[in-house]
Amino acid sequence: MQRDLWTSLLLVWITCVQYSSMAPLNNQSQSLQTASAMIPRNRPSEGQRILSRAKRGWVWNQMFVLEEFSGPDPILVGRLHTDLDMGNKNIKYVLAGEGAGTIFAINERTGDIHAMKRLDREEKAEYTLTAQVIDRDTDKPLEPPSEFIIKVQDINDNPPQFIEGPYKGSVPEMSQVGTSVTRVTATDADDPVYGNSARLVYSILEGQPYFSIDQTTAIIRVALAGMDREMREEYLVVIQAKDMGGHMGGLSGTTTVTVTLTDINDNPPKFSKGSYEFTIPEDLGIGKPGGRVKANDRDIGENAKSAYSIIGGDERDVFEIVTDAQTQEGILRLKKPLDFESKKSYNLTVVATNIRADSITGGPYMDQATVKIIIEDADEPPVFTKSAYLFDVHENAAINTVIGAVAARDQDATHSQVRYFIDRHTDLERQFNINVDDGKITLAKPLDRETDMWHNITVTATEVRNHSQISRAIVAIKVLDINDNAPEFATEYEAFLCENGKPGQVIQTISAVDKDNPSQGHTFHYRLEMLNNPNFTIKNNLNNSISVLAKHDSFRRQKQETYLLPIVVTDDGEPPMSSTNTLTIRVCGCSRDGTVQSCNVEAFVLPIGLSMGALIAILACIILLLELTKWMFLYDEDGGGEEDTEAFDIATLQNPDGINGYLPRKDIKPDLQFMPRQGQHSGPNGVDVDEFINVRLHEADNDPTAPPYDSIQIYGYEGRGSIAGSLSSLETASSDSDQNYDYLREWGPRFRRLGELYSVGENDKET
């Protein structure tokens, strides 16, 4: 029965809409072109074009069809009509475009258009089609095609939907009424323009009285004040969206919103107990935990974190309390060592304070508790009266001299006796002893300040009843100076006196040194061992040094070459110490300006300052050089560069027996490798070097393949029968160790350094 009612209503609605919509449009109907032409009253002249105006003869309008109509027969959408349709059966209506022939069908005789299928506006809201009138017999168009639209009219057939649901929202606990939580959105597929099918209204089905929703904007707000997260953290709210403006008959859809109350710092920390008690040993290490306390907080996250502090009972600043980041416990730790003998217990006041303050509640919050700490006695090592001791003793003090004493005491209640020892790792030479009972340190061996001024030893103290309890102290012993060393020359002096010097000339300046170190500094006194020395005297320079002067100018090397002058040096210590040092003075020949030239008698016979053997060697070298200069060859062409050293084969010159042998090419590097040669000696069959070099020169001049070289050739061969052998210092047959260079010392100051260098070389080789 309900279906018949809906069908009747739809038919009435279509009829009303059709006539009401066609009425105003009839005045706007346009005539299509007709086949007949309008003949004007005056016939045109020949050749004049006849113009006629076509008249549009359609009578039709925009059509509508209701969606979701599902009657037994096709629903009439509308009717097309043309002025050409005068009951002539030759007229035929044709429909083309969207849905033509499938969704929509036209009666080719009457022009009625029917919807053949059930339509859904949400799938397609309108269809564009084209209508045309043609001749039924010839299928020729009688009028141009005309376009029109069929609109699908909406009905409320789609409920609202929450596409993004379900939703989640959050709001701080204790929020005021009206605080926004979140917003939801529903959509309706019906036409928002036509009717109220898509006009939505929101309401809360579940979640009251805690939350409310704006029926238009769909904003969810807090509706109840004082909601506490610690009482309830999560709420499930059901939201409904209803179309048709919320009126009866409208469709609806629902979604859920999970609202979570976020935490604020509205709860203080609270200790689980009002007082705690811990017992810790006296020897607990620094930084080690002695106990834990815990303040609980009903808040979460940063709001639940607390910082602990000690606000009373720790006047000695022995303890500290830190927060365990994992457990949020307060850990009591030691900052200083405990001493049972001085304080046996502590009563601390500990406070836990929230780290984070909240803008809503103010804060921060705190709580406090009492912590009693009982110290448990532990066996401790003896304690020295000082951590380091400083003693002094004079050098060369007698054995068993008491240097000083150390003292240590057992602080425990038992007051055990203490024994003292020296750590022998710090006294390897065992120079000190200690009395095991009273800690007196005595001298075991004599001390010398000039060897060691300081001695650092370690003394240990051990309990008699518990040898594992050991403590240590550093003892520094300073050795005091006494005047036990005589002064002496600062260096080994050797003076030179010119024969032609004048009386009063300064021969040498002398200073002294003393190993002792008096507090007032050194003062030295000098005197000649022979008070009335006929040759020399001394002069005080007033700076702890003296100058040695000559008394006359009659010194001659032929008469006396060396003078030994004993000088006594005395300090001003208590008692004074002195030593006799000898100054060696050599008489030398000097130039006019006083420069020493030679200091030995043989040099006087040879004015050039050389010994006879050295002079012979030099003359021999000069003769050899004069002989070799005859064989210096000069070519006009450019030299051979680095190959210049291979212009001649030195090995051939060193072996005259090969004069008639094979001559290798000189313009290439020879393949032969020659071993270092020994000094050449004369053989039985002598060969003239002059003749040998001339032969080689002739061969070189007449060899067209040999390149020219500019070089000076030095030949090591001395010739057969030479008694001198090779003069080369690199290839001498004798070693340096066979030569004596002492004569260089006798040639004066100029050659002394050279002699020392050669002497050092010999000593190094022996070493």
Side-chain angles (χ1 to χ4, degrees):
M1 179 177 182
Q2 186 176 3
R3 181 177 179 181
D4 295 338
L5 178 62
W6 274 107
T7 304
S8 302
L9 289 174
L10 286 174
L11 290 175
V12 172
W13 180 84
I14 293 171
T15 305
C16 294
V17 170
Q18 194 168 10
Y19 283 100
S20 63
S21 59
M22 291 176 63
L25 291 173
N26 285 333
N27 297 328
Q28 302 176 6
S29 63
Q30 299 176 354
S31 298
L32 299 177
Q33 293 178 352
T34 62
S36 61
M38 296 181 65
I39 306 298
R41 295 179 181 179
N42 299 324
R43 183 178 298 274
S45 62
E46 186 178 352
Q48 183 179 3
R49 182 178 178 183
I50 299 175
L51 298 176
S52 62
R53 179 177 179 180
K55 181 181 179 183
R56 185 174 299 275
W58 287 105
V59 181
W60 68 296
N61 64 319
Q62 189 179 47
M63 300 180 184
F64 297 88
V65 61
L66 198 64
E67 69 170 333
E68 305 294 344
F69 183 79
S70 57
D73 300 320
I75 182 172
L76 177 63
V77 178
R79 175 178 294 175
L80 298 180
H81 183 72
T82 178
D83 293 343
L84 298 178
D85 187 1
M86 304 298 294
N88 189 352
K89 296 182 179 180
N90 291 332
I91 297 298
K92 181 180 180 180
Y93 293 93
V94 179
L95 188 66
E98 296 179 332
T102 57
I103 299 176
F104 301 101
I106 189 169
N107 189 317
E108 61 183 16
R109 292 184 180 276
T110 64
D112 293 338
I113 299 175
H114 292 82
M116 309 301 293
K117 293 183 178 180
R118 181 178 180 178
L119 301 178
D120 188 355
R121 190 200 67 84
E122 286 71 39
E123 292 182 2
K124 191 171 180 62
E126 61 182 31
Y127 296 85
T128 301
L129 296 98
T130 302
Q132 192 174 23
V133 178
I134 64 175
D135 188 286
R136 183 181 297 275
D137 297 328
T138 62
D139 288 337
K140 291 183 178 181
L142 300 178
E143 289 183 352
S146 294
E147 187 178 87
F148 65 98
I149 296 174
I150 298 177
K151 288 189 175 182
V152 182
Q153 216 159 22
D154 183 51
I155 65 171
N156 189 21
D157 60 341
N158 290 282
Q161 291 183 345
F162 292 90
I163 305 301
E164 299 177 356
Y167 295 85
K168 290 185 178 180
S170 62
V171 65
E173 61 176 331
M174 300 296 176
S175 294
Q176 296 180 357
V177 174
T179 303
S180 175
V181 179
T182 187
R183 180 178 182 177
V184 298
T185 302
T187 59
D188 195 317
D190 292 326
D191 191 353
V193 178
Y194 180 79
N196 294 326
S197 298
R199 188 164 73 88
L200 305 180
V201 174
Y202 297 90
S203 61
I204 289 183
L205 300 182
E206 295 182 17
Q208 295 175 331
Y210 308 106
F211 302 97
S212 63
I213 188 170
D214 188 293
Q215 64 177 2
T216 303
T217 62
I219 297 176
I220 301 174
R221 302 180 184 275
V222 174
L224 182 65
M227 288 192 293
D228 190 358
R229 185 201 65 84
E230 287 74 34
M231 299 297 295
R232 181 177 177 182
E233 184 175 4
E234 192 173 275
Y235 296 83
L236 184 64
V237 180
V238 179
I239 303 297
Q240 174 185 270
K242 189 174 183 181
D243 59 14
M244 297 299 291
H247 293 96
M248 184 179 296
L251 303 178
S252 64
T254 60
T255 188
T256 59
V257 181
T258 302
V259 181
T260 303
L261 297 183
T262 58
D263 186 56
I264 65 172
N265 189 19
D266 59 339
N267 291 280
K270 188 69 176 176
F271 282 102
S272 57
K273 296 188 295 183
S275 63
Y276 298 82
E277 184 174 312
F278 302 105
T279 300
I280 59 178
E282 179 186 11
D283 56 356
L284 184 68
I286 302 298
K288 298 296 183 180
R292 288 174 176 258
V293 297
K294 177 68 179 295
N296 298 309
D297 196 319
R298 296 178 62 194
D299 295 321
I300 59 175
E302 294 293 324
N303 296 324
K305 292 183 178 180
S306 298
Y308 297 87
S309 60
I310 300 173
I311 63 172
D314 188 23
E315 294 78 9
R316 299 187 180 185
D317 196 25
V318 177
F319 299 94
E320 66 178 353
I321 187 167
V322 296
T323 304
D324 189 322
Q326 301 295 327
T327 63
Q328 289 299 305
E329 293 177 306
I331 305 174
L332 279 168
R333 300 190 308 192
L334 280 184
K335 292 174 60 180
K336 297 179 181 178
L338 297 173
D339 187 7
F340 173 82
E341 288 70 30
S342 62
K343 192 172 180 64
K344 297 178 174 58
S345 64
Y346 294 85
N347 289 308
L348 307 179
T349 301
V350 177
V351 172
T353 306
N354 278 148
I355 297 176
R356 186 175 182 181
D358 196 281
S359 59
I360 298 177
T361 60
Y365 299 104
M366 63 179 62
D367 191 23
Q368 70 179 33
T370 301
V371 179
K372 183 176 182 180
I373 298 177
I374 300 174
I375 309 302
E376 187 179 58
D377 189 23
D379 193 7
E380 299 174 291
V383 178
F384 280 96
T385 56
K386 299 179 181 179
S387 59
Y389 295 84
L390 176 62
F391 302 128
D392 56 62
V393 61
H394 284 90
E395 61 178 331
N396 296 330
I399 304 299
N400 295 326
T401 298
V402 177
I403 300 173
V406 298
R409 181 176 177 272
D410 183 14
Q411 302 289 341
D412 297 325
T414 56
H415 298 297
S416 174
Q417 291 184 345
V418 177
R419 294 290 182 266
Y420 303 93
F421 303 93
I422 293 178
D423 185 352
R424 292 304 177 183
H425 292 91
T426 61
D427 183 28
L428 297 176
E429 298 182 4
R430 295 183 173 269
Q431 294 176 298
F432 306 96
N433 290 326
I434 191 170
N435 189 299
V436 296
D437 296 320
D438 57 17
K440 290 182 179 180
I441 300 174
T442 57
L443 195 62
K445 293 181 180 180
L447 303 178
D448 184 6
R449 190 201 67 85
E450 287 72 36
T451 303
D452 289 309
M453 182 184 293
W454 286 94
H455 296 271
N456 295 312
I457 61 175
T458 300
V459 175
T460 62
T462 307
E463 291 183 5
V464 173
R465 64 179 182 85
N466 186 358
H467 296 291
S468 63
Q469 298 297 330
I470 302 174
S471 58
R472 291 173 171 79
I474 302 298
V475 179
I477 301 173
K478 182 180 181 180
V479 182
L480 303 178
D481 185 44
I482 63 172
N483 193 29
D484 60 343
N485 291 280
E488 57 187 13
F489 280 176
T491 184
E492 183 180 351
Y493 295 102
E494 185 175 11
F496 299 94
L497 174 63
C498 293
E499 289 180 314
N500 57 353
K502 297 179 180 180
Q505 69 173 345
V506 177
I507 302 172
Q508 182 70 45
T509 299
I510 293 175
S511 61
V513 294
D514 194 330
K515 294 180 180 180
D516 295 322
N517 186 25
S519 58
Q520 299 82 10
H522 291 289
T523 301
F524 299 122
H525 307 280
Y526 301 85
R527 64 179 176 85
L528 296 179
E529 190 177 54
M530 181 185 295
L531 297 179
N532 296 319
N533 192 300
N535 299 315
F536 306 100
T537 185
I538 60 175
K539 181 185 72 171
N540 191 349
N541 295 328
L542 302 179
N543 60 355
N544 275 345
S545 68
I546 60 170
S547 297
V548 179
L549 294 80
K551 282 188 173 183
H552 56 81
D553 59 354
S554 59
F555 296 97
R556 296 292 180 270
R557 284 177 287 175
Q558 294 82 358
K559 179 180 178 181
Q560 185 173 346
E561 183 180 359
T562 304
Y563 292 87
L564 301 178
L565 181 63
I567 301 175
V568 179
V569 186
T570 307
D571 61 21
D572 59 350
E574 186 62 35
M577 301 291 291
S578 63
S579 66
T580 301
N581 301 264
T582 301
L583 175 64
T584 301
I585 302 174
R586 301 189 65 185
V587 181
C588 302
C590 301
S591 61
R592 291 182 180 181
D593 59 356
T595 303
V596 176
Q597 291 184 336
S598 61
C599 300
N600 58 322
V601 179
E602 184 179 9
F604 179 78
V605 179
L606 301 172
I608 61 175
L610 299 176
S611 64
M612 187 63 70
L615 183 59
I616 294 173
I618 292 174
L619 291 175
C621 292
I622 293 173
I623 294 172
L624 178 61
L625 290 175
L626 291 175
E627 182 69 21
L628 291 176
T629 53
K630 295 179 182 180
W631 316 118
M632 297 172 62
F633 308 107
L634 179 64
Y635 293 89
D636 293 336
E637 294 83 4
D638 292 336
E642 294 181 357
E643 297 180 356
D644 211 22
T645 56
E646 298 173 1
F648 296 96
D649 189 0
I650 300 300
T652 304
L653 293 179
Q654 294 172 345
N655 185 13
D657 295 335
I659 188 172
N660 297 323
Y662 168 72
L663 293 176
R665 289 289 301 272
K666 307 306 179 188
D667 57 334
I668 61 174
K669 187 175 181 179
D671 295 331
L672 297 178
Q673 296 182 356
F674 301 100
M675 299 300 291
R677 64 183 178 84
Q678 300 294 329
Q680 299 292 330
H681 301 282
S682 60
N685 51 344
V687 176
D688 191 321
V689 175
D690 187 6
E691 180 182 356
F692 173 78
I693 292 178
N694 286 331
V695 171
R696 287 290 182 262
L697 179 61
H698 177 75
E699 292 174 352
D701 290 339
N702 293 280
D703 186 3
T705 62
Y709 295 95
D710 297 339
S711 61
I712 299 176
Q713 300 297 333
I714 300 174
Y715 303 105
Y717 178 64
E718 293 294 336
R720 304 251 184 215
S722 172
I723 62 174
S726 174
L727 294 179
S728 172
S729 61
L730 297 176
E731 300 179 9
T732 179
S734 61
S735 63
D736 292 339
S737 61
D738 297 334
Q739 301 184 30
N740 187 358
Y741 300 97
D742 292 340
Y743 64 87
L744 293 175
R745 299 177 181 271
E746 301 174 0
W747 292 1
R750 293 183 174 180
F751 295 93
R752 180 179 297 104
R753 181 58 180 165
L754 183 61
E756 291 175 355
L757 291 175
Y758 275 89
S759 300
V760 170
E762 293 174 1
N763 295 334
D764 293 342
K765 291 178 181 180
E766 293 175 0
T767 304

